[in-house]
Amino acid sequence: MSVNRRNGPAGSLTDVPGNNPRRIGVLGGTFDPPHNGHVLAGIEARDRLNLDLVVFTVANDPWQKTGVGGLREADLTRAELRLSMVEAALEGHRGLQADDLEMKRGGPTYTADTLLELEERYPGADLFLLIGSDVALALDSWVRPDEVRRHATIVVMDRPGHDGGRPPSGWNYELLEAPLLQISAVEIRNRVGSGKSVDGEVPVGVADLIEQHGLYRTQR
Ligand code: ATP
């Protein structure tokens, strides 16, 4: 059975070079919404690290953002819609694939669980965990960090505006040497909320879904 078919509607066989990817990037996020910064990061990682596949895993419950004092859960766009936006964002990009495994698992999203599931799905493949430099700083706060470092090579992407953020001591990592875009989801939400255009910051399919579903019109 094909791993992609087993993975349900997200992703498509045509996106994957062969059915047996050996080097797999994992770009996890809330993607509320996905933007061109995410897409370019996936493309650069694919090309510079020679990855067969980059899975964009859509967080079910991004507990670090929805935790005490953070974003209210009610303010988060529902996961199915965030997944649809990621699918739209990645359309036509070879080897980049939206993945709903964290949504199917349910509950708070722990990357350690995601890596274990991906290892089962792709036995023997090498996993590369792609994280922005903003996220790198906080790796020690993740759940079961030892499992995270055991099951994947950490790759830090120097995100403009957060340059120089690196994992705490004790973490081995590689640095993705690539020019990236200074775009954030919060900036997109704020622009839409104040009636400004986000053309050029999100893929067209994402802009269409934001419009169709009336997302981000009120400030969080
Ligand atoms: P928000 O602004 O709501 O915090 P975000 O833009 O950071 O959202 P996330 O979905 O939280 O988007 O990010 C998922 C992953 O993508 C994280 O590892 C983050 O560091 C990385 N990332 C986000 N934006 C960029 C970018 N412009 N370039 C490179 N990596 C990025």
Side-chain angles (χ1 to χ4, degrees), residues 82-114:
R82 289 184 283 116
L83 175 69
S84 298
M85 289 195 283
V86 175
E87 288 173 326
L90 302 183
E91 211 179 309
H93 291 292
R94 175 182 52 82
L96 306 192
Q97 184 174 293
D99 203 302
D100 60 358
L101 86 171
E102 294 177 344
M103 295 162 51
K104 285 185 172 151
R105 192 164 70 233
T109 298
Y110 302 134
T111 300
D113 295 329
T114 301

Side-chain angles (χ1 to χ4, degrees), residues 16-193:
V16 183
N19 284 333
N20 190 21
R22 309 311 301 151
R23 292 171 64 82
I24 302 172
V26 183
L27 205 170
T30 309
F31 302 118
D32 197 10
H35 48 68
N36 289 340
H38 295 126
V39 179
L40 183 65
I43 291 170
E44 290 289 1
R46 178 197 68 196
D47 294 349
R48 291 175 191 253
L49 300 174
N50 222 352
L51 303 178
D52 301 313
L53 175 66
V54 181
V55 288
F56 284 57
T57 56
V58 178
N60 183 63
D61 170 10
W63 56 279
Q64 291 208 315
K65 288 192 180 181
T66 55
V68 183
L71 190 67
R72 286 184 305 140
E73 241 181 289
D75 288 335
L76 196 66
T77 303
R78 64 189 167 83
E80 288 73 16
L81 194 40
R82 289 184 283 116
L83 175 69
S84 298
M85 289 195 283
V86 175
E87 288 173 326
L90 302 183
E91 211 179 309
H93 291 292
R94 175 182 52 82
L96 306 192
Q97 184 174 293
D99 203 302
D100 60 358
L101 86 171
E102 294 177 344
M103 295 162 51
K104 285 185 172 151
R105 192 164 70 233
T109 298
Y110 302 134
T111 300
D113 295 329
T114 301
L115 296 175
L116 286 175
E117 268 191 71
L118 289 170
E119 268 192 359
E120 277 177 24
R121 197 200 285 170
Y122 303 109
D126 292 325
L127 300 179
F128 296 83
L129 184 65
L130 311 172
I131 53 171
S133 39
D134 53 322
V135 168
L137 293 166
L139 276 176
D140 273 347
S141 68
W142 286 19
V143 166
R144 308 199 321 266
D146 285 348
E147 288 182 40
V148 172
R149 52 183 147 218
R150 201 169 336 123
H151 294 288
T153 301
I154 311 291
V155 178
V156 177
M157 309 180 289
D158 243 336
R159 188 176 167 180
H162 300 270
D163 311 68
R166 297 289 177 265
S169 61
W171 289 82
N172 293 325
Y173 63 91
E174 291 179 9
L175 193 61
L176 184 75
E177 304 274 0
L180 297 172
L181 296 173
Q182 184 157 6
I183 304 180
S184 66
V186 64
E187 174 194 324
I188 307 288
R189 296 193 297 270
N190 289 338
R191 286 185 70 82
V192 174

